[in-house]
Amino acid sequence: MKTRIKDLRKERKLSQEELALAVGTTRQTITSIEVGKYTASLVLAYKIAHYFGLTIEEVFDFSEENEF
Amino acid sequence: MEKFRTTVKRRIAISSGMTFIAMVLGGINIYSIIITDHSSATHSDGFVAGFQFGLIVSIFGLAVFDIIKLSLAINDETKLRILYNKEHDERLIAIRNKAGAPMIVITSIMMIIAAIIAGYFNIVVFYTLIVAVAAQLLVSAMVKLYCMKTM
């Protein structure tokens, strides 16, 4: 799944470690979400979106998920 | 976070207890090796005693490592938060579950205890159980490593 997390972090000059600490996860999980290896749960997706002051849809791209 | 701090304190106390037990068991093990009549002891007897001593030393080492790690975390709010996040991280929990935790750990401990007891009666059972434990831990570690790379 594509996400805007990396861009949002860069905009706010935030490291993966700082974001991980703020949303209650590990740096490795943030890396995996950013590269699309891991799909965050609804709770984690909400925490990340909420941290950036955005909605889940604005951070995570669900367009590819609907394709069969 | 205060609840987790209490949990960490409890873990330090448990690890300290394990260190003490390992020291006592290690002492007993060394004493039993010294008083053993080596002229009548077989190679298997030595192997079982050596395995037990190795296991006790490993438990002691792990407990000391745990005490140091947790003591450093309890005095530092950031380290405590990182430790908490690592333990409650959804991806790591999923990886641990795929690798068979906690059942692999529980069955491995039970099999090691069974192997030690069996070692006093039948050395073949001892070897079989130890090899089985090593094999299941190896498979679990490989699955964990694979999931860490792909998830």
Side-chain angles (χ1 to χ4, degrees):
Chain A
M1 182 188 281
K2 286 179 186 173
T3 75
R4 284 182 56 214
I5 297 173
K6 197 172 182 178
D7 299 331
L8 292 164
R9 270 197 314 105
K10 293 259 168 79
E11 277 173 23
R12 289 161 174 80
K13 291 185 174 67
L14 203 69
S15 70
Q16 288 181 331
E17 188 79 55
E18 287 167 328
L19 177 62
L21 206 63
V23 298
T25 188
T26 59
R27 185 188 58 77
Q28 289 86 348
T29 300
I30 297 294
T31 310
S32 289
I33 296 168
E34 280 184 2
V35 297
K37 275 187 185 175
Y38 179 70
T39 306
S41 70
L42 182 62
V43 176
L44 184 58
Y46 172 77
K47 281 181 184 174
I48 293 168
H50 185 73
Y51 181 79
F52 289 118
L54 301 166
T55 61
I56 293 175
E57 293 93 323
E58 285 171 320
V59 179
F60 294 88
D61 181 12
F62 290 93
S63 58
E64 284 179 8
E65 299 300 308
N66 295 327
E67 291 172 10
F68 290 99
Chain B
M1 196 49 70
E2 279 311 305
K3 199 177 170 185
F4 185 64
R5 195 185 293 274
T6 314
T7 309
V8 171
K9 278 179 186 170
R10 197 181 325 128
R11 280 186 201 164
I12 291 172
I14 291 167
S15 292
S16 304
M18 277 175 70
T19 311
F20 177 73
I21 292 167
M23 279 168 69
V24 172
L25 288 175
I28 293 168
N29 205 263
I30 291 168
Y31 180 71
S32 67
I33 289 169
I34 291 167
I35 62 160
T36 300
D37 180 13
H38 293 285
S39 58
S40 62
T42 62
H43 175 72
S44 300
D45 291 340
F47 188 82
V48 173
F51 178 82
Q52 283 178 2
F53 188 68
L55 196 69
I56 290 162
V57 170
S58 306
I59 291 168
F60 179 79
L62 287 171
V64 169
F65 175 76
D66 220 32
I67 292 167
I68 294 167
K69 190 182 81 175
L70 296 174
S71 300
L72 288 173
I74 210 160
N75 296 318
D76 188 331
E77 197 62 38
T78 312
K79 280 181 182 169
L80 192 70
R81 168 65 71 178
I82 290 169
L83 188 71
Y84 179 85
N85 288 353
K86 204 174 174 183
E87 283 188 19
H88 294 84
D89 180 46
E90 60 176 46
R91 180 176 149 271
L92 290 177
I93 290 170
I95 290 170
R96 276 186 223 122
N97 288 344
K98 279 191 178 182
M103 281 316 291
I104 289 282
V105 180
I106 294 167
T107 50
S108 296
I109 291 168
M110 286 173 74
M111 282 164 80
I112 287 171
I113 293 166
I116 290 168
I117 296 165
Y120 290 108
F121 307 105
N122 191 329
I123 196 68
V124 177
V125 178
F126 172 80
Y127 284 128
T128 309
L129 284 168
I130 294 303
V131 169
V133 169
Q136 74 174 13
L137 286 176
L138 187 71
V139 170
S140 175
M142 282 167 69
V143 170
K144 196 172 176 182
L145 211 65
Y146 175 75
C147 291
M148 292 277 256
K149 287 267 179 196
T150 55
M151 276 177 76

